[in-house]
Amino acid sequence: MDFKSNTKNNLLIKLLIILLSLVSPFIMIYFEGVKPSLSSYWNSPFQAMFIIVNALTTYIFMDIPKWRLSGIMLFLLTIFSVEYYSQIHDIFAILFFLFTLYPLYNIKRYRYFLIPYLISVYWLPNLLWFEIHSIIVLCIYHLILLIKLYNVKS
């Protein structure tokens, strides 16, 4: 399947990936309880969900030139489990959230998403809610871009 194509089917697949990325943290919390971070779900029955959602999100990021570096960092934090490579994992996680600032700032039309993304720092004493807040902002951002792309293609 060619994700770079913007056919109606591919836009629908991207929409489903964004929605899965949005709800997966809440699914994990509902069934496994609150953990210190999303990466902590690596050590749970939701390990496959964690890996698949991050892999699909990485694939979509790699399709958008300004998001490729964020995609690479997401991929790297996913393959280095927090259980065995916690320091490397944490470095890539920090780099992912920092490198995501670049595309949010550079797309002028939706630059205002940078503000709620930065506000997620408020949650930092609790890493899980910081991550979830950031993911919600990124999902809404990409959802709006996808809808705009769909409307242009229609």
Side-chain angles (χ1 to χ4, degrees):
M1 177 181 320
D2 179 16
F3 277 91
K4 293 183 187 280
S5 169
N6 288 318
T7 64
K8 193 173 189 177
N9 285 340
N10 283 340
L11 292 174
L12 180 60
I13 290 168
K14 289 178 181 181
L15 173 66
L16 292 174
I17 292 170
I18 291 169
L19 294 176
L20 179 62
S21 298
L22 184 64
V23 300
S24 65
F26 300 103
I27 292 169
M28 292 187 284
I29 289 170
Y30 180 79
F31 288 104
E32 273 298 304
V34 174
K35 294 192 179 278
S37 72
L38 287 175
S39 298
S40 298
Y41 292 93
W42 178 276
N43 300 321
S44 78
F46 288 94
Q47 180 184 71
M49 177 183 271
F50 176 81
I51 293 169
I52 290 168
V53 169
N54 283 356
L56 291 171
T57 303
T58 296
Y59 198 72
I60 288 178
F61 281 174
M62 297 306 285
D63 190 31
I64 308 168
K66 289 185 179 176
W67 285 89
R68 286 188 182 137
L69 194 52
S70 295
I72 291 167
M73 292 304 117
L74 181 59
F75 175 73
L76 290 171
L77 79 85
T78 303
I79 63 171
F80 289 101
S81 95
V82 72
E83 181 179 9
Y84 298 111
Y85 306 100
S86 64
Q87 289 179 332
I88 295 170
H89 172 87
D90 290 348
I91 289 168
F92 288 128
I94 291 166
L95 289 174
F96 167 75
F97 286 102
L98 289 175
F99 287 154
T100 298
L101 293 169
Y102 173 75
L104 285 174
Y105 179 77
N106 276 312
I107 298 180
K108 293 172 182 57
R109 176 170 285 159
Y110 300 111
R111 190 177 285 168
Y112 56 86
F113 274 94
L114 189 59
I115 295 168
Y117 186 77
L118 289 171
I119 289 173
S120 66
V121 173
Y122 168 80
W123 297 105
L124 251 183
N126 186 321
L127 188 56
L128 177 68
W129 296 113
F130 164 75
E131 293 169 327
I132 290 173
H133 181 116
S134 300
I135 289 168
I136 290 170
V137 172
L138 293 176
C139 286
I140 293 170
Y141 171 86
H142 284 281
L143 186 61
I144 288 172
L145 286 179
L146 191 64
I147 291 168
K148 180 157 181 69
L149 180 63
Y150 176 77
N151 288 335
V152 167
K153 295 289 179 185
S154 296

